[in-house]
Amino acid sequence: VFRLDRVGAAIVGATLTVALGILSFDQASLAVDFRTIILLFSMMIVTANLKLSGFFQLAGDYLLKTVHTKKALLFAVIMTSGILSAFFINDIVCLLFTPVVIGICHQAGVKPLPFLIGTATASNIGSAGTLIGNPQNILIGSLSHLPFSSYLVSAFPFALFGLVINYLFISRLYRKDLAGELPSVTPSNGHHHTYYLMTKSLATTILILAGFILGGDPVIVSSLGASYLLLTRRIKPNRIYTSIDFNLLVIFAGLFVVIGGVENSGLINWLMHQMHLDKITSFPVFTVATITFSNIVSNVPAVMLLKFLIPGQNPDIWWTSLGIFSTIAGNLTLTGSVANLIVVEIAKRNHIRVGFLDYLKVGFPLTVFLTACGLAYFYLFLWS
């Protein structure tokens, strides 16, 4: 059996697409949406600066100082994970925030399982709230040219609602483990690089978001912010670059080429016809298809395929639904999103087991309930 991971599969797929003549090299280059890759790269630089400044550890210390019960700690972890994921790419937030959550649980003497499940599920739900919260939403923003502010107004309220529902589900399921108050503990006050870097990074992030909301080109705005953060004497650039997920960028480039080849060969139209997807005109059916495809082929490839089903009438609403439902689909099972797997792997390295069934007990009913609520939300507020 070949040991081929997602990166290798994307490279092999893109290479075969060109080698077999499905696309020429020039056509393959044109198939890559560099706007998506540049925006993703720029936001990774911003998040890397926050990481080096100690921002995520400081957030954990703040939680320990301000909450006094186990349920309040769960709510704080869920809201922190969700809101950070809305603006700093959920995979990266899970990578940086999960060790903080584990540290908090050890200091407070609480069982980490509900808090880790909350971190993962909240990161998926929260990231649905903006067009920069996760890789598939960054792709959707690039493909749809949907205004950042328009998507934010439509999706962010539902994401906040979803985070509250997430808390209610987990607190109910783990009510015995979450009963009682937290012991008096002293925050770790872990090493922070400098408050200067933290202030600079947060200010830059706010300016980037303001630029998005005011209608600036997201690629230009984010690139300017990232470039400004690279202009410093205090941090060696290599420390920033080592925090960037170049694997994810390669996966995107490879997938663009593969999907471009599939489209150019006519295979997309054939598959759509064979699976009767070309006849989907019902919004609920489109929603179910989004949830299903996102779990079968992963959410980014699902978006690349389902973009062909977006109708010409009211396309903004359909794009918004694709962003929300392809993201909350990641909570259906443990393997539904990369963010989930990141949390599980970090927990495993700390000798904490998050089992498939442990996650399924929360993720499956949560996803079904939020999908139903999402459909009601669209019909009540967005289609009216």
Side-chain angles (χ1 to χ4, degrees):
V1 179
F2 294 107
R3 296 188 177 184
L4 198 63
D5 60 2
R6 296 190 311 150
V7 181
I11 293 172
V12 171
T15 301
L16 289 176
T17 299
V18 176
L20 295 174
I22 299 172
L23 290 178
S24 68
F25 186 84
D26 290 340
Q27 287 175 320
S29 298
L30 292 173
V32 178
D33 188 342
F34 288 101
R35 292 181 60 84
T36 298
I37 291 176
I38 292 171
L39 177 57
L40 190 57
F41 177 72
S42 298
M43 294 310 298
M44 286 179 180
I45 290 177
V46 175
T47 309
N49 276 270
L50 285 171
K51 170 193 172 183
L52 291 175
S53 74
F55 170 76
F56 292 92
Q57 182 62 55
L58 186 66
D61 291 344
Y62 180 76
L63 293 185
L64 274 179
K65 288 179 181 178
T66 54
V67 299
H68 304 289
T69 67
K70 295 177 184 179
K71 284 190 175 181
L73 179 60
L74 175 67
F75 183 79
V77 166
I78 285 174
M79 296 305 294
T80 302
S81 176
I83 292 174
L84 287 177
S85 294
F87 301 103
F88 299 113
I89 308 175
N90 65 337
D91 296 350
I92 300 176
V93 168
C94 284
L95 187 66
L96 303 178
F97 190 55
T98 301
V100 174
V101 172
I102 292 173
I104 290 173
C105 291
H106 285 327
Q107 286 180 268
V110 298
K111 292 184 178 180
L113 183 60
F115 298 93
L116 291 172
I117 293 175
T119 300
T121 51
S123 75
N124 290 320
I125 295 169
S127 70
T130 72
L131 285 174
I132 56 172
N134 54 62
Q136 67 269 19
N137 277 16
I138 289 175
L139 175 61
I140 287 170
S142 179
L143 294 174
S144 67
H145 302 292
L146 195 63
F148 182 89
S149 57
S150 174
Y151 182 90
L152 182 72
V153 169
S154 299
F156 198 74
F158 182 75
L160 289 177
F161 167 79
L163 292 174
V164 174
I165 296 300
N166 188 24
Y167 163 74
L168 293 175
F169 266 70
I170 298 175
S171 62
R172 173 67 179 172
L173 185 62
Y174 290 96
R175 55 189 178 277
K176 291 183 179 179
D177 294 331
L178 297 171
E181 295 190 353
L182 291 172
S184 179
V185 294
T186 303
S188 63
N189 290 318
H191 172 71
H192 309 298
H193 189 276
T194 61
Y195 284 101
Y196 164 78
L197 179 59
M198 191 181 302
T199 303
K200 178 183 177 183
S201 301
L202 286 173
T204 302
T205 302
I206 292 170
L207 290 174
I208 289 174
L209 294 175
F212 290 165
I213 293 171
L214 293 174
D217 186 326
V219 176
I220 301 300
V221 171
S222 61
S223 296
L224 285 172
S227 299
Y228 169 67
L229 289 176
L230 289 174
L231 295 175
T232 177
R233 296 179 180 178
R234 305 190 181 202
I235 299 291
K236 292 181 179 180
N238 281 341
R239 296 189 64 194
I240 300 294
Y241 303 145
T242 54
S243 299
I244 293 173
D245 189 351
F246 287 101
N247 286 354
L248 184 59
L249 301 177
V250 172
I251 290 171
F252 261 80
L255 283 175
F256 279 127
V257 174
V258 171
I259 297 298
V262 172
E263 182 181 1
N264 189 61
S265 68
L267 185 58
I268 282 286
N269 292 331
W270 183 82
L271 285 173
M272 293 292 180
H273 180 71
Q274 290 297 314
M275 300 175 69
H276 305 291
L277 294 176
D278 54 343
K279 298 179 182 178
I280 290 181
T281 56
S282 166
F283 186 73
V285 174
F286 178 76
T287 298
V288 173
T290 300
I291 299 288
T292 304
F293 271 78
S294 295
N295 276 278
I296 292 175
V297 299
S298 188
N299 37 36
V300 172
V303 167
M304 291 184 176
L305 292 171
L306 292 169
K307 69 178 182 178
F308 298 102
L309 302 181
I310 302 292
Q313 188 175 8
N314 297 317
D316 286 2
I317 294 179
W318 291 73
W319 280 113
T320 300
S321 76
L322 185 57
I324 290 176
F325 292 116
S326 67
T327 301
I328 65 172
N331 280 337
L332 191 68
T333 68
L334 186 60
T335 57
S337 79
V338 175
N340 298 345
L341 298 176
I342 289 172
V343 172
V344 170
E345 284 302 312
I346 294 175
K348 184 178 179 181
R349 290 201 295 267
N350 286 272
H351 310 290
I352 301 168
R353 183 180 180 274
V354 181
F356 186 88
L357 290 179
D358 293 325
Y359 188 92
L360 192 68
K361 286 189 294 186
V362 175
F364 189 88
L366 177 65
T367 303
V368 172
F369 183 77
L370 285 182
T371 299
C373 291
L375 283 171
Y377 175 76
F378 271 85
Y379 279 110
L380 288 174
F381 299 105
L382 301 183
W383 281 106
S384 58

